[in-house]
Amino acid sequence: MRTASIERKTKETDISLTLCLDGGEVSIDTGIGFFDHMLNSFATHGGFGLTVSVKGDLQVDGHHTVEDTGIVLGQAFSKALGDKGSIDRFGSFYVPMDEALAFASVDVSGRPFLVFDARFPQAVCGEYDCALTVEFMRALAYNAGITLHMKSIYGDNSHHIAEALYKAAAHALRLAVRQNGSGKPLSTKGVL
């Protein structure tokens, strides 16, 4: 099983996370209900086993909790993938959610980069600041060592836009980390 467990404790957050790329238990508790919903959707649609426990400085706001969770999840992806051999490497996916449509494309390349193009008509969903979506995705991409392109094509409801983005990223990653049995990285260089 391709799994990784990471613990990270700072003055702002205390995070314990386990990721299994091949499925398993999903249990999320970050203290931010909408973010829990997004991570649950991410795990479910990616086919990932994911347990997350976060104690963050929510008395300040949700920024450190969301960004640091992205850091730790990215580290877990990197660790679980190892040398990135035998994976399909690329994945792209569109997700419609009612009036919203989102797209994500990923390259598990070892070269971290994020292109993020999304606007949120409503600034918050519950206790979740929608502006933190890009912070999470940036932390995930840079710590996983992936190139991630994301776009909200259109939408009027921030809940739908955010959820479509998280689900699109999950499906794109699911495709990219799928094992192909080649025994080697998908690269002309022979290494990723």
Side-chain angles (χ1 to χ4, degrees):
M1 295 290 274
R2 299 175 298 162
T3 63
S5 293
I6 308 280
E7 292 189 6
R8 181 178 189 263
K9 186 171 186 171
T10 70
K11 292 180 181 179
E12 298 166 340
T13 57
D14 185 353
I15 300 174
S16 177
L17 183 148
T18 298
L19 171 70
C20 179
L21 299 178
D22 304 306
E25 177 189 0
V26 176
S27 175
I28 314 291
D29 182 11
T30 67
I32 304 171
F34 186 81
F35 188 44
D36 291 353
H37 177 44
M38 293 301 97
L39 291 176
N40 186 61
S41 292
F42 179 87
T44 299
H45 286 267
F48 307 129
L50 182 62
T51 62
V52 181
S53 176
V54 183
K55 293 189 178 19
D57 57 356
L58 296 179
Q59 75 281 3
V60 175
D61 68 10
H63 191 283
H64 301 137
T65 294
V66 173
E67 182 178 37
D68 289 7
T69 301
I71 290 170
V72 175
L73 182 57
Q75 291 171 344
F77 264 100
S78 180
K79 186 176 178 182
L81 284 167
D83 70 357
K84 302 176 194 72
S86 297
I87 62 167
D88 284 342
R89 181 178 166 181
F90 298 98
S92 297
F93 211 84
Y94 284 92
V95 170
M97 181 117 190
D98 296 343
E99 87 298 340
L101 180 66
F103 172 76
S105 187
V106 67
D107 176 7
V108 181
S109 61
R111 295 185 308 276
F113 202 83
L114 175 70
V115 175
F116 186 91
D117 183 6
R119 304 293 175 263
F120 297 94
Q122 298 82 37
V124 296
C125 292
E127 299 293 315
Y128 178 84
D129 179 350
C130 294
L132 296 178
T133 306
V134 66
E135 301 300 333
F136 173 81
M137 296 300 176
R138 182 180 299 113
L140 172 66
Y142 276 76
N143 286 274
I146 63 175
T147 296
L148 177 61
H149 289 243
M150 304 187 76
K151 182 170 181 64
S152 169
I153 311 299
Y154 44 75
D156 299 319
N157 181 301
S158 291
H159 183 133
H160 297 159
I161 293 167
E163 190 164 349
L165 287 165
Y166 274 88
K167 287 177 177 177
H171 278 282
L173 277 165
R174 174 183 55 80
L175 295 171
V177 304
R178 184 173 52 199
Q179 293 181 300
N180 59 31
S182 69
K184 57 186 177 184
L186 183 58
S187 170
T188 56
K189 300 178 186 73
V191 66
L192 288 172

